[in-house]
Amino acid sequence: MIELLFLLLPVAMAYGWFMGRNSIKQKDQTIKQDLSIKYSTGLNYLLSNQKDKAIDSLLDALKVEDDSVEAHFAMANLFRKRGELDRALKVHEHLVRHGNLPTKDKQQAVFELGKDFLSAGLYDRAEKMFNKLLKSPDYGLKSLTYLLQIFQSTKDWQRGIGHKKLAIKFNDKRLLHTLANFYCEQATTAFEQDKFIEVIELLEQALKLDPNSCRANWLMAKIYENHKQCELAGKCYQDIYKQDKDFFPDVIDQMHQCYLDLDASDEFFSFIKKVYDETASSSALIAYLSHVEKKHGNKKAKEFLLSALKRRPTIRGFKHLVKMEMSQSDEVENKASLDLIKDLISEYLKLKHRYSCRSCGFNSSTHYWSCPSCHEWEQLKPVRGLEGE
């Protein structure tokens, strides 16, 4: 009897192991079957345009198996692209509340939820989400970028500047450029109140963050001009040319006035000649022609202009040529014809946009430091080509 017991014991253990394994398989199969049913139900709701029921069904599936997280991110992004922010929010909020998600997935859910709130205009809630991620290696830089976007929208420059240390730590040029413009915004307010020292200090901070901020030098030049420090203002204008040759045509007239006040016109025209040689700018050409005309007469000035127009034709240059022809013509009838041509050109140029955003292509007749379309800083510059510079 005992021998029979020892013989049957291994058989019983093997049978128990087999039945247990079979039971686990059956349980796994049941779970997968339940999951499949829930996903199928969700997809059916989605196809029949019952989106809220679809979301509830698919979110319920997440409780069963966390491997479905990526599918939920994809679903939420689809809703967001279609402008259905309320549904995207529902999915991302569910993911954020889910207790068993890995850290990386949890941070992604918080980040996506912040973007949903931002798209919905709920800045305070978006800010809360992005603040949670500032120390994250994966989402810290992105979150700070969105935070500065929020502060730009609300014109809360000081709160943006409060993140300066973190921006310097990331050493991201775009972030530093944005913060430099936040300082410029504060400097503009101080400039309107004629707070000389405060303006200079704020602009020095801006230039520390972004040495290529031509806006900072433009404001610096204006405050120096207001206080009759034309030599310093002139240096700022020269720095603008080094920083941004495309923007420089907008400050040529102000720079000329500075050098007139310093009784240093020759130095100004020498610099403008260099600018024209390097950029072929219409504004630089027209400014330099007044010097050629004064020093060498109308004939030489006209020859210089014709040569310049052959090299690089522009409508502004042609308008100036017509103006020169009018000043040299003695015939009344000829003057009237030229005057008509000049007026037609002037009207045509009025219809054309003076500025174009180098980032998104937005066109404008008025200059903005922040593009009204893409909100990038210092990207709206004078148009180049036949109808521009």
Side-chain angles (χ1 to χ4, degrees), residues 123-171:
Y123 293 142
D124 55 338
R125 299 181 73 177
E127 184 183 342
K128 187 178 178 182
M129 293 298 109
F130 293 133
N131 274 327
K132 290 180 179 180
L133 299 170
L134 288 177
K135 293 181 180 179
S136 164
D138 295 319
Y139 294 98
L141 176 58
K142 295 176 185 176
S143 295
L144 182 55
T145 301
Y146 278 114
L147 279 173
L148 294 188
Q149 186 179 322
I150 291 169
F151 298 137
Q152 182 175 339
S153 298
T154 57
K155 300 186 185 302
D156 200 339
W157 316 119
Q158 190 55 48
R159 290 186 70 196
I161 288 169
H163 291 283
K164 182 173 74 170
K165 286 184 180 178
L166 188 57
I168 292 171
K169 182 181 176 182
F170 284 127
N171 196 28

Side-chain angles (χ1 to χ4, degrees), residues 320-331:
H320 196 77
L321 176 63
V322 172
K323 185 179 175 182
M324 290 178 71
E325 290 284 0
M326 285 176 62
S327 66
Q328 294 174 27
S329 177
D330 295 326
E331 296 180 17

